[in-house]
Protein backbone atom coordinates (compact mmCIF):
# COMPACT_ATOMS: atom_id res chain seq x y z
CA UNK A 1 0.00 0.00 0.00
CA UNK A 2 1.25 3.61 -0.57
CA UNK A 3 1.71 6.14 2.29
CA UNK A 4 -0.88 8.96 2.63
CA UNK A 5 -0.01 11.79 0.25
CA UNK A 6 2.56 9.76 -1.59
CA UNK A 7 2.55 9.57 -5.40
CA UNK A 8 4.25 6.22 -5.42
CA UNK A 9 2.29 3.03 -5.48
CA UNK A 10 3.76 -0.08 -3.96
CA UNK A 11 4.48 -2.65 -6.67
CA UNK A 12 4.44 -6.33 -5.92
CA UNK A 13 7.78 -7.90 -6.60
CA UNK A 14 6.91 -11.08 -8.37
CA UNK A 15 10.54 -12.03 -8.48
CA UNK A 16 10.57 -12.10 -4.73
CA UNK A 17 8.50 -15.32 -4.72
CA UNK A 18 10.29 -18.58 -4.06
CA UNK A 19 11.35 -20.31 -7.28
CA UNK A 20 9.38 -23.36 -8.43
CA UNK A 21 11.21 -26.63 -8.50
CA UNK A 22 12.30 -27.58 -11.97
CA UNK A 23 11.85 -31.17 -13.21
CA UNK A 24 14.81 -33.41 -13.48
CA UNK A 25 16.66 -32.89 -16.74
CA UNK A 26 15.71 -35.37 -19.44
CA UNK A 27 18.44 -37.66 -20.58
CA UNK A 28 19.85 -37.26 -24.04
CA UNK A 29 17.73 -38.77 -26.90
CA UNK A 30 19.30 -41.60 -28.79
CA UNK A 31 20.41 -40.71 -32.29
CA UNK A 32 17.80 -41.26 -35.07
CA UNK A 33 18.00 -44.76 -36.51
CA UNK A 34 18.99 -45.03 -40.11
CA UNK A 35 16.69 -47.04 -42.48
CA UNK A 36 19.43 -47.71 -44.91
CA UNK A 37 20.92 -50.82 -43.41
CA UNK A 38 21.35 -54.03 -45.36
CA UNK A 39 18.56 -55.68 -43.33
CA UNK A 40 16.16 -52.88 -44.29
CA UNK A 41 16.90 -53.26 -47.96
CA UNK A 42 16.37 -57.03 -47.72
CA UNK A 43 13.01 -56.54 -45.97
CA UNK A 44 11.80 -54.05 -48.56
CA UNK A 45 12.89 -56.35 -51.37
CA UNK A 46 11.05 -59.29 -49.82
CA UNK A 47 7.84 -57.25 -49.46
CA UNK A 48 8.08 -56.14 -53.09
CA UNK A 49 8.66 -59.69 -54.32
CA UNK A 50 5.74 -61.03 -52.29
CA UNK A 51 3.46 -58.28 -53.63
CA UNK A 52 4.47 -58.97 -57.22
CA UNK A 53 4.03 -62.74 -56.82
CA UNK A 54 0.61 -62.24 -55.21
CA UNK A 55 -0.45 -59.94 -58.03
CA UNK A 56 0.77 -62.37 -60.69
CA UNK A 57 -0.99 -65.30 -59.02
CA UNK A 58 -4.21 -63.31 -58.66
CA UNK A 59 -4.09 -62.40 -62.34
CA UNK A 60 -3.10 -65.91 -63.43
CA UNK A 61 -6.10 -67.50 -61.73
CA UNK A 62 -8.58 -64.69 -62.26
CA UNK A 63 -11.54 -64.63 -64.61
CA UNK A 64 -9.95 -61.72 -66.47
CA UNK A 65 -6.96 -63.78 -67.58
CA UNK A 66 -9.25 -66.60 -68.69
CA UNK A 67 -11.41 -64.26 -70.79
CA UNK A 68 -10.92 -63.01 -74.34
CA UNK A 69 -13.13 -60.12 -75.39
CA UNK A 70 -12.88 -58.58 -78.85
CA UNK A 71 -15.48 -55.86 -79.35
CA UNK A 72 -16.85 -54.49 -82.59
CA UNK A 73 -18.29 -51.25 -84.01
CA UNK A 74 -21.13 -49.50 -82.19
CA UNK A 75 -23.61 -49.59 -85.09
CA UNK A 76 -24.49 -51.51 -88.23
CA UNK A 77 -26.66 -50.88 -91.25
CA UNK A 78 -30.27 -51.90 -90.80
CA UNK A 79 -31.22 -55.13 -92.55
CA UNK A 80 -33.46 -54.78 -95.62
CA UNK A 81 -37.19 -55.31 -95.18
CA UNK A 82 -38.82 -58.39 -96.69
CA UNK A 83 -42.08 -57.74 -98.52
CA UNK A 84 -42.35 -60.94 -100.57
CA UNK A 85 -41.25 -64.53 -100.23
CA UNK A 86 -38.19 -65.54 -102.25
CA UNK A 87 -38.79 -68.22 -104.90
CA UNK A 88 -35.73 -70.15 -103.69
CA UNK A 89 -33.43 -70.33 -100.67
CA UNK A 90 -29.79 -71.37 -100.75
CA UNK A 91 -27.13 -71.59 -98.08
CA UNK A 92 -25.06 -68.42 -97.67
CA UNK A 93 -23.07 -69.34 -94.55
CA UNK A 94 -22.91 -71.80 -91.70
CA UNK A 95 -21.20 -72.02 -88.31
CA UNK A 96 -20.80 -74.58 -85.58
CA UNK A 97 -23.08 -73.58 -82.69
CA UNK A 98 -23.61 -76.37 -80.20
CA UNK A 99 -24.59 -73.97 -77.38
CA UNK A 100 -27.62 -72.51 -79.18
CA UNK A 101 -30.79 -74.58 -78.90
CA UNK A 102 -32.47 -72.48 -81.59
CA UNK A 103 -31.20 -69.58 -83.73
CA UNK A 104 -30.27 -66.60 -81.52
CA UNK A 105 -31.10 -63.22 -83.09
CA UNK A 106 -30.43 -60.04 -81.13
CA UNK A 107 -33.15 -57.41 -81.49
CA UNK A 108 -32.08 -53.77 -81.22
CA UNK A 109 -34.48 -50.82 -80.84
CA UNK A 110 -34.29 -48.14 -83.52
CA UNK A 111 -33.37 -44.70 -82.18
CA UNK A 112 -36.09 -42.98 -84.22
CA UNK A 113 -39.09 -45.15 -83.31
CA UNK A 114 -37.99 -47.61 -80.62
CA UNK A 115 -39.15 -50.48 -82.84
CA UNK A 116 -37.02 -53.58 -82.34
CA UNK A 117 -35.21 -54.86 -85.40
CA UNK A 118 -32.84 -57.84 -85.83
CA UNK A 119 -29.22 -56.73 -85.83
CA UNK A 120 -26.90 -59.61 -84.94
CA UNK A 121 -26.91 -63.41 -85.09
CA UNK A 122 -25.12 -65.03 -82.14
CA UNK A 123 -23.44 -68.42 -82.26
CA UNK A 124 -21.84 -70.30 -79.39
CA UNK A 125 -19.61 -73.35 -79.24
CA UNK A 126 -17.07 -74.68 -76.75
CA UNK A 127 -16.34 -71.61 -74.64
CA UNK A 128 -16.70 -69.02 -77.42
CA UNK A 129 -19.62 -66.79 -78.29
CA UNK A 130 -19.59 -64.79 -81.54
CA UNK A 131 -21.76 -61.98 -82.85
CA UNK A 132 -22.15 -62.29 -86.63
CA UNK A 133 -23.39 -60.29 -89.58
CA UNK A 134 -26.70 -61.99 -90.52
CA UNK A 135 -26.06 -61.50 -94.25
CA UNK A 136 -22.52 -62.87 -94.46
CA UNK A 137 -21.78 -64.68 -91.18
CA UNK A 138 -18.70 -62.49 -90.66
CA UNK A 139 -17.69 -62.25 -87.00
CA UNK A 140 -18.23 -58.77 -85.54
CA UNK A 141 -17.31 -59.51 -81.93
CA UNK A 142 -16.07 -62.41 -79.79
CA UNK A 143 -16.43 -63.25 -76.12
CA UNK A 144 -14.52 -66.33 -74.96
CA UNK A 145 -13.98 -68.03 -71.60
CA UNK A 146 -11.89 -71.05 -70.62
CA UNK A 147 -15.14 -72.71 -69.51
CA UNK A 148 -17.66 -74.75 -71.50
CA UNK A 149 -20.83 -73.01 -72.59
CA UNK A 150 -24.11 -74.49 -71.37
CA UNK A 151 -26.42 -72.34 -73.48
CA UNK A 152 -26.51 -69.07 -75.41
CA UNK A 153 -29.67 -67.00 -75.68
CA UNK A 154 -30.77 -63.39 -76.02
CA UNK A 155 -32.55 -60.82 -73.89
CA UNK A 156 -33.62 -58.06 -76.29
CA UNK A 157 -30.48 -56.08 -77.14
CA UNK A 158 -28.10 -58.36 -75.27
CA UNK A 159 -26.59 -61.77 -75.84
CA UNK A 160 -26.76 -64.03 -72.78
CA UNK A 161 -24.37 -66.88 -72.02
CA UNK A 162 -24.40 -69.52 -69.28
CA UNK A 163 -21.04 -71.15 -68.55
CA UNK A 164 -20.35 -74.25 -66.47
CA UNK A 165 -17.85 -74.06 -63.62
CA UNK A 166 -18.34 -77.68 -62.60
CA UNK A 167 -21.46 -79.77 -62.20
CA UNK A 168 -23.96 -76.96 -62.83
CA UNK A 169 -24.32 -73.98 -65.15
CA UNK A 170 -23.28 -71.33 -62.69
CA UNK A 171 -21.86 -68.29 -64.51
CA UNK A 172 -24.23 -66.04 -66.42
CA UNK A 173 -22.79 -63.25 -68.57
CA UNK A 174 -24.54 -60.55 -70.58
CA UNK A 175 -22.81 -58.78 -73.48
CA UNK A 176 -24.01 -55.97 -75.70
CA UNK A 177 -25.51 -57.55 -78.80
CA UNK A 178 -24.09 -54.91 -81.13
CA UNK A 179 -20.56 -54.34 -79.80
CA UNK A 180 -19.92 -57.47 -77.73
CA UNK A 181 -18.93 -55.35 -74.73
CA UNK A 182 -19.38 -57.28 -71.50
CA UNK A 183 -22.12 -55.99 -69.21
CA UNK A 184 -23.40 -57.74 -66.08
CA UNK A 185 -22.13 -61.07 -64.76
CA UNK A 186 -23.47 -63.24 -61.93
CA UNK A 187 -23.06 -66.70 -60.45
CA UNK A 188 -26.06 -68.96 -60.05
CA UNK A 189 -26.92 -72.64 -59.81
CA UNK A 190 -28.81 -73.64 -62.97
CA UNK A 191 -29.09 -77.31 -63.91
CA UNK A 192 -26.76 -78.69 -66.62
CA UNK A 193 -29.47 -79.27 -69.26
CA UNK A 194 -30.98 -75.83 -68.85
CA UNK A 195 -32.48 -73.49 -71.39
CA UNK A 196 -32.38 -69.71 -70.99
CA UNK A 197 -35.73 -68.07 -71.68
CA UNK A 198 -36.45 -64.40 -72.23
CA UNK A 199 -39.54 -63.21 -70.33
CA UNK A 200 -39.02 -59.61 -71.46
CA UNK A 201 -37.35 -58.03 -68.45
CA UNK A 202 -36.07 -61.29 -66.93
CA UNK A 203 -34.12 -64.38 -67.97
CA UNK A 204 -35.39 -67.77 -66.75
CA UNK A 205 -33.39 -70.99 -66.47
CA UNK A 206 -35.16 -74.34 -66.70
CA UNK A 207 -34.61 -77.66 -64.99
CA UNK A 208 -36.17 -80.88 -63.73
CA UNK A 209 -36.05 -79.88 -60.04
CA UNK A 210 -34.91 -76.26 -59.83
CA UNK A 211 -35.08 -73.01 -61.78
CA UNK A 212 -33.85 -69.45 -61.38
CA UNK A 213 -34.95 -66.04 -62.63
CA UNK A 214 -32.58 -63.08 -63.16
CA UNK A 215 -33.28 -59.46 -63.97
CA UNK A 216 -32.14 -58.93 -67.53
CA UNK A 217 -30.33 -55.62 -67.03
CA UNK A 218 -28.14 -56.35 -63.99
CA UNK A 219 -28.61 -60.14 -63.58
CA UNK A 220 -29.70 -59.77 -59.96
CA UNK A 221 -31.52 -62.96 -58.92
CA UNK A 222 -35.27 -62.38 -58.79
CA UNK A 223 -36.55 -65.90 -58.02
CA UNK A 224 -35.45 -69.33 -56.84
CA UNK A 225 -38.01 -72.10 -57.33
CA UNK A 226 -37.87 -75.77 -56.39
CA UNK A 227 -35.17 -77.77 -54.65
CA UNK A 228 -32.87 -75.03 -53.32
CA UNK A 229 -29.35 -76.21 -52.58
CA UNK A 230 -29.05 -73.98 -49.49
CA UNK A 231 -32.32 -73.07 -47.75
CA UNK A 232 -32.04 -69.86 -45.70
CA UNK A 233 -35.75 -69.34 -44.96
CA UNK A 234 -37.63 -72.67 -44.72
CA UNK A 235 -41.26 -73.30 -45.71
CA UNK A 236 -41.24 -70.68 -48.47
CA UNK A 237 -41.54 -73.02 -51.49
CA UNK A 238 -45.17 -73.86 -52.29
CA UNK A 239 -44.46 -77.56 -52.92
CA UNK A 240 -41.51 -79.84 -52.22
CA UNK A 241 -40.33 -83.06 -53.84
CA UNK A 242 -41.75 -82.15 -57.28
CA UNK A 243 -40.17 -82.58 -60.69
CA UNK A 244 -40.84 -80.32 -63.66
CA UNK A 245 -41.93 -80.88 -67.24
CA UNK A 246 -42.43 -78.35 -70.04
CA UNK A 247 -42.52 -74.57 -69.60
CA UNK A 248 -43.82 -71.60 -71.58
CA UNK A 249 -43.16 -67.91 -70.96
CA UNK A 250 -44.90 -64.62 -71.60
CA UNK A 251 -44.40 -61.11 -70.25
CA UNK A 252 -45.05 -61.06 -66.51
CA UNK A 253 -45.54 -64.80 -65.95
CA UNK A 254 -44.49 -68.31 -66.87
CA UNK A 255 -46.33 -71.64 -66.74
CA UNK A 256 -44.88 -75.09 -66.18
CA UNK A 257 -45.86 -78.68 -65.50
CA UNK A 258 -45.22 -79.94 -61.96
CA UNK A 259 -45.25 -83.61 -60.93
CA UNK A 260 -45.67 -83.75 -57.17
CA UNK A 261 -45.82 -86.84 -54.93
CA UNK A 262 -49.08 -85.80 -53.24
CA UNK A 263 -51.02 -85.22 -56.48
CA UNK A 264 -53.07 -87.84 -58.27
CA UNK A 265 -52.33 -86.22 -61.63
CA UNK A 266 -49.92 -83.69 -63.05
CA UNK A 267 -50.47 -80.04 -62.29
CA UNK A 268 -49.75 -76.76 -64.05
CA UNK A 269 -48.53 -73.75 -62.09
CA UNK A 270 -48.52 -70.14 -63.32
CA UNK A 271 -45.78 -68.19 -61.53
CA UNK A 272 -44.67 -64.57 -61.22
CA UNK A 273 -41.01 -64.17 -62.27
CA UNK A 274 -40.28 -61.29 -59.88
CA UNK A 275 -41.86 -61.69 -56.42
CA UNK A 276 -41.04 -59.32 -53.57
CA UNK A 277 -38.41 -61.74 -52.25
CA UNK A 278 -36.40 -64.14 -54.41
CA UNK A 279 -36.85 -67.09 -52.03
CA UNK A 280 -40.60 -66.51 -51.55
CA UNK A 281 -42.36 -67.42 -54.85
CA UNK A 282 -45.68 -65.88 -55.87
CA UNK A 283 -47.96 -68.37 -57.67
CA UNK A 284 -50.85 -66.88 -59.63
CA UNK A 285 -52.61 -70.23 -59.84
CA UNK A 286 -51.81 -73.95 -59.63
CA UNK A 287 -54.21 -76.67 -60.66
CA UNK A 288 -54.21 -80.40 -61.31
CA UNK A 289 -54.95 -81.34 -64.92
CA UNK A 290 -56.37 -84.83 -64.49
CA UNK A 291 -53.79 -86.27 -66.89
CA UNK A 292 -50.31 -87.74 -67.19
CA UNK A 293 -47.52 -86.77 -69.62
CA UNK A 294 -49.16 -83.40 -70.19
CA UNK A 295 -47.39 -80.50 -71.89
CA UNK A 296 -47.69 -76.75 -71.47
CA UNK A 297 -48.11 -75.45 -75.02
CA UNK A 298 -48.42 -71.68 -74.56
CA UNK A 299 -49.24 -68.98 -72.03
CA UNK A 300 -50.56 -65.45 -72.54
CA UNK A 301 -51.44 -62.73 -70.06
CA UNK A 302 -54.89 -64.34 -69.64
CA UNK A 303 -54.72 -67.99 -70.70
CA UNK A 304 -52.72 -71.23 -70.51
CA UNK A 305 -52.95 -73.94 -73.17
CA UNK A 306 -52.17 -77.51 -72.05
CA UNK A 307 -51.93 -80.58 -74.30
CA UNK A 308 -53.22 -83.83 -72.76
CA UNK A 309 -53.12 -87.37 -74.23
CA UNK A 310 -55.66 -90.23 -74.29
CA UNK A 311 -57.54 -88.66 -75.98
CA UNK A 312 -55.27 -86.03 -77.47
CA UNK A 313 -56.66 -82.57 -76.82
CA UNK A 314 -55.83 -78.95 -76.04
CA UNK A 315 -57.39 -77.66 -72.83
CA UNK A 316 -57.31 -73.94 -72.13
CA UNK A 317 -57.33 -72.62 -68.55
CA UNK A 318 -57.63 -69.17 -67.03
CA UNK A 319 -54.11 -68.03 -66.06
CA UNK A 320 -55.31 -66.31 -62.87
CA UNK A 321 -58.00 -68.63 -61.50
CA UNK A 322 -57.10 -71.99 -63.05
CA UNK A 323 -60.68 -72.49 -64.27
CA UNK A 324 -61.10 -74.43 -67.51
CA UNK A 325 -62.13 -72.23 -70.44
CA UNK A 326 -62.28 -74.60 -73.43
CA UNK A 327 -61.30 -78.02 -74.76
CA UNK A 328 -60.65 -79.13 -78.35
CA UNK A 329 -59.42 -82.42 -79.88
CA UNK A 330 -56.10 -82.53 -81.77
CA UNK A 331 -54.73 -85.17 -84.14
CA UNK A 332 -51.49 -85.90 -82.28
CA UNK A 333 -50.20 -89.43 -81.53
CA UNK A 334 -49.71 -90.42 -77.90
CA UNK A 335 -46.00 -91.03 -78.63
CA UNK A 336 -45.56 -87.24 -78.96
CA UNK A 337 -46.47 -86.69 -75.32
CA UNK A 338 -42.99 -86.65 -73.85
CA UNK A 339 -41.16 -83.74 -72.27
CA UNK A 340 -39.58 -81.50 -74.91
CA UNK A 341 -35.81 -80.90 -74.88
CA UNK A 342 -34.58 -78.64 -72.08
CA UNK A 343 -38.17 -78.46 -70.67
CA UNK A 344 -39.18 -75.76 -73.17
CA UNK A 345 -42.44 -75.79 -75.10
CA UNK A 346 -41.51 -75.86 -78.80
CA UNK A 347 -43.67 -72.94 -79.82
CA UNK A 348 -43.43 -69.38 -81.07
CA UNK A 349 -45.96 -66.57 -81.29
CA UNK A 350 -46.84 -64.03 -83.96
CA UNK A 351 -49.30 -61.15 -83.71
CA UNK A 352 -52.19 -63.52 -84.47
CA UNK A 353 -51.07 -67.12 -83.89
CA UNK A 354 -49.10 -69.47 -81.68
CA UNK A 355 -47.37 -72.34 -83.50
CA UNK A 356 -46.68 -75.47 -81.41
CA UNK A 357 -44.54 -78.41 -82.54
CA UNK A 358 -45.73 -81.64 -80.89
CA UNK A 359 -42.81 -83.74 -82.15
CA UNK A 360 -44.37 -84.84 -85.43
CA UNK A 361 -46.91 -82.11 -86.25
CA UNK A 362 -47.19 -78.34 -86.05
CA UNK A 363 -50.47 -76.95 -84.73
CA UNK A 364 -51.51 -73.34 -85.20
CA UNK A 365 -53.47 -71.84 -82.29
CA UNK A 366 -55.34 -68.56 -82.10
CA UNK A 367 -53.32 -66.11 -80.01
CA UNK A 368 -56.58 -64.64 -78.71
CA UNK A 369 -58.16 -67.88 -77.45
CA UNK A 370 -55.34 -70.50 -77.71
CA UNK A 371 -57.78 -72.83 -79.47
CA UNK A 372 -56.48 -74.94 -82.42
CA UNK A 373 -56.95 -73.50 -85.90
CA UNK A 374 -55.17 -75.90 -88.27
CA UNK A 375 -52.50 -78.64 -88.33
CA UNK A 376 -49.47 -79.26 -90.53
CA UNK A 377 -48.45 -82.94 -90.67
CA UNK A 378 -44.98 -84.53 -90.86
CA UNK A 379 -43.09 -81.44 -89.75
CA UNK A 380 -39.66 -80.98 -88.15
CA UNK A 381 -40.29 -77.92 -85.97
CA UNK A 382 -42.60 -75.09 -84.99
CA UNK A 383 -41.40 -72.82 -87.81
CA UNK A 384 -41.18 -69.06 -88.20
CA UNK A 385 -42.68 -66.31 -90.35
CA UNK A 386 -41.40 -64.40 -93.39
CA UNK A 387 -43.30 -61.73 -95.32
CA UNK A 388 -46.39 -62.43 -93.22
CA UNK A 389 -46.58 -66.15 -94.02
CA UNK A 390 -45.70 -69.17 -91.90
CA UNK A 391 -42.60 -71.18 -92.84
CA UNK A 392 -42.64 -74.68 -91.36
CA UNK A 393 -39.71 -77.09 -91.80
CA UNK A 394 -40.35 -80.47 -93.41
CA UNK A 395 -38.11 -83.17 -94.79
CA UNK A 396 -37.61 -81.61 -98.22
CA UNK A 397 -37.52 -77.93 -97.26
CA UNK A 398 -39.89 -75.28 -95.94
CA UNK A 399 -43.65 -75.38 -96.42
CA UNK A 400 -45.35 -72.01 -96.75
CA UNK A 401 -48.80 -71.55 -95.17
CA UNK A 402 -51.32 -68.76 -94.78
CA UNK A 403 -51.36 -68.05 -91.06
CA UNK A 404 -55.10 -67.54 -90.64
CA UNK A 405 -56.43 -70.44 -92.72
CA UNK A 406 -53.60 -72.96 -92.98
CA UNK A 407 -53.88 -72.95 -96.79
CA UNK A 408 -50.70 -74.35 -98.33
CA UNK A 409 -49.01 -71.75 -100.53
CA UNK A 410 -46.12 -73.93 -101.66
CA UNK A 411 -42.82 -75.51 -100.66
CA UNK A 412 -39.35 -73.96 -100.86
CA UNK A 413 -36.80 -76.69 -101.42
CA UNK A 414 -33.85 -76.75 -99.03
CA UNK A 415 -30.86 -79.12 -99.15
CA UNK A 416 -29.86 -80.34 -95.69
CA UNK A 417 -27.20 -82.84 -96.76
CA UNK A 418 -28.96 -85.80 -95.19
CA UNK A 419 -29.61 -84.17 -91.80
CA UNK A 420 -32.75 -85.95 -90.50
CA UNK A 421 -33.37 -84.31 -87.12
CA UNK A 422 -35.55 -81.47 -85.83
CA UNK A 423 -35.05 -77.99 -87.27
CA UNK A 424 -35.52 -74.78 -85.30
CA UNK A 425 -36.17 -71.68 -87.40
CA UNK A 426 -35.80 -67.91 -87.07
CA UNK A 427 -35.36 -64.98 -89.43
CA UNK A 428 -33.09 -61.93 -89.50
CA UNK A 429 -34.28 -59.59 -92.23
CA UNK A 430 -34.18 -61.57 -95.50
CA UNK A 431 -32.12 -64.39 -93.96
CA UNK A 432 -33.77 -67.63 -92.80
CA UNK A 433 -31.81 -69.36 -90.03
CA UNK A 434 -31.96 -73.10 -89.40
CA UNK A 435 -30.58 -74.71 -86.25
CA UNK A 436 -29.71 -78.28 -87.28
CA UNK A 437 -28.35 -80.00 -84.22
CA UNK A 438 -25.03 -78.29 -83.40
CA UNK A 439 -24.88 -76.35 -86.68
CA UNK A 440 -26.47 -73.04 -87.58
CA UNK A 441 -27.18 -72.55 -91.30
CA UNK A 442 -28.18 -69.26 -92.95
CA UNK A 443 -30.34 -69.33 -96.10
CA UNK A 444 -31.20 -66.58 -98.51
Amino acid sequence: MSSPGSDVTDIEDVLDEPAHELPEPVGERPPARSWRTRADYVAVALIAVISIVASVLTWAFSDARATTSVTGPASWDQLPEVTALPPTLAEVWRARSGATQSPVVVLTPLKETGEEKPSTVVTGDGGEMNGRDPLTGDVRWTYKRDLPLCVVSTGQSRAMALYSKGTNCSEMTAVDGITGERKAQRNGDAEPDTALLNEGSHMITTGSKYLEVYRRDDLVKALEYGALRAIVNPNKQPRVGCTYGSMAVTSGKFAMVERCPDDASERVSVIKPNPDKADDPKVFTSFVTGGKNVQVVAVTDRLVAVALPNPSRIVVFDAESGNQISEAPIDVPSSDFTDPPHHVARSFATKTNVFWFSGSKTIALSLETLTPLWTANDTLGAGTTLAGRALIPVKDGLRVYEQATGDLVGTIRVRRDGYPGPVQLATAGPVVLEQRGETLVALR
Side-chain angles (χ1 to χ4, degrees), residues 98-161:
T100 54
Q101 297 160 2
S102 59
V104 175
V105 180
V106 174
L107 301 177
T108 303
L110 298 177
K111 292 182 179 180
E112 300 80 10
T113 63
E115 183 184 5
E116 292 184 332
K117 293 290 185 179
S119 60
T120 309
V121 175
V122 183
T123 58
D125 199 67
E128 183 172 313
M129 182 168 57
N130 290 305
R132 298 176 181 271
D133 184 332
L135 299 176
T136 65
D138 293 342
V139 175
R140 294 172 172 172
W141 55 258
T142 297
Y143 183 85
K144 184 178 181 180
R145 296 277 283 119
D146 65 339
L147 301 171
L149 277 165
C150 293
V151 61
V152 170
S153 186
T154 182
Q156 291 185 328
S157 59
R158 296 186 176 185
M160 301 288 184

Side-chain angles (χ1 to χ4, degrees), residues 1-9:
M1 297 288 295
S2 61
S3 301
S6 172
D7 292 332
V8 179
T9 303

Side-chain angles (χ1 to χ4, degrees), residues 91-380:
E91 181 177 325
V92 289
W93 61 269
R94 68 168 55 203
R96 186 167 175 81
S97 189
T100 54
Q101 297 160 2
S102 59
V104 175
V105 180
V106 174
L107 301 177
T108 303
L110 298 177
K111 292 182 179 180
E112 300 80 10
T113 63
E115 183 184 5
E116 292 184 332
K117 293 290 185 179
S119 60
T120 309
V121 175
V122 183
T123 58
D125 199 67
E128 183 172 313
M129 182 168 57
N130 290 305
R132 298 176 181 271
D133 184 332
L135 299 176
T136 65
D138 293 342
V139 175
R140 294 172 172 172
W141 55 258
T142 297
Y143 183 85
K144 184 178 181 180
R145 296 277 283 119
D146 65 339
L147 301 171
L149 277 165
C150 293
V151 61
V152 170
S153 186
T154 182
Q156 291 185 328
S157 59
R158 296 186 176 185
M160 301 288 184
L162 259 178
Y163 286 92
S164 174
K165 283 189 171 180
T167 56
N168 284 8
C169 299
S170 56
E171 183 181 284
M172 185 182 294
T173 302
V175 304
D176 186 281
I178 295 290
T179 66
E181 178 187 1
R182 201 193 82 172
K183 299 296 184 180
Q185 188 175 63
R186 300 283 176 178
N187 286 324
D189 203 23
E191 293 186 9
D193 194 34
T194 185
L196 193 54
L197 305 180
N198 177 20
E199 172 267 345
S201 56
H202 297 82
M203 303 302 296
I204 305 174
T205 69
T206 64
S208 59
K209 294 182 180 180
Y210 175 74
L211 61 88
E212 296 174 325
V213 180
Y214 292 84
R215 292 201 309 237
R216 186 197 66 230
D217 292 337
D218 55 14
L219 298 186
V220 170
K221 188 178 292 185
L223 174 64
E224 297 176 303
Y225 194 91
L228 279 64
R229 183 171 290 189
I231 299 177
V232 177
N233 297 311
N235 304 318
K236 294 292 186 180
Q237 295 296 316
R239 281 163 293 281
V240 296
C242 305
T243 58
Y244 306 139
S246 59
M247 177 190 296
V249 175
T250 191
S251 178
K253 56 174 60 77
F254 62 93
M256 68 177 182
V257 173
E258 292 194 74
R259 300 178 179 117
C260 303
D262 296 333
D263 292 335
S265 65
E266 295 174 356
R267 70 170 52 239
V268 169
S269 297
V270 184
I271 302 164
K272 185 177 182 180
N274 56 334
D276 293 336
K277 296 182 179 180
D279 63 348
D280 190 7
K282 175 177 174 55
V283 179
F284 291 114
T285 186
S286 186
F287 52 88
V288 292
T289 60
K292 301 281 189 180
N293 298 321
V294 307
Q295 288 190 41
V296 167
V297 169
V299 59
T300 68
D301 60 339
R302 299 183 301 107
L303 304 171
V304 185
V306 182
L308 290 89
N310 305 316
S312 299
R313 60 203 188 276
I314 294 285
V315 182
V316 179
F317 298 88
D318 186 282
E320 297 285 343
S321 67
N323 295 330
Q324 181 173 327
I325 303 299
S326 65
E327 181 175 330
I330 53 175
D331 182 20
V332 171
S334 57
S335 57
D336 280 5
F337 285 87
T338 58
D339 288 338
H342 316 292
H343 305 278
V344 181
R346 293 168 291 190
S347 58
F348 83 100
T350 69
K351 294 181 179 180
T352 57
N353 290 12
V354 175
F355 294 89
W356 171 59
F357 177 56
S358 70
S360 65
K361 301 170 186 263
T362 300
I363 298 178
L365 312 174
S366 164
L367 183 62
E368 178 67 22
T369 63
L370 295 187
T371 53
L373 298 175
W374 51 269
T375 300
N377 295 315
D378 302 320
T379 61
L380 300 176

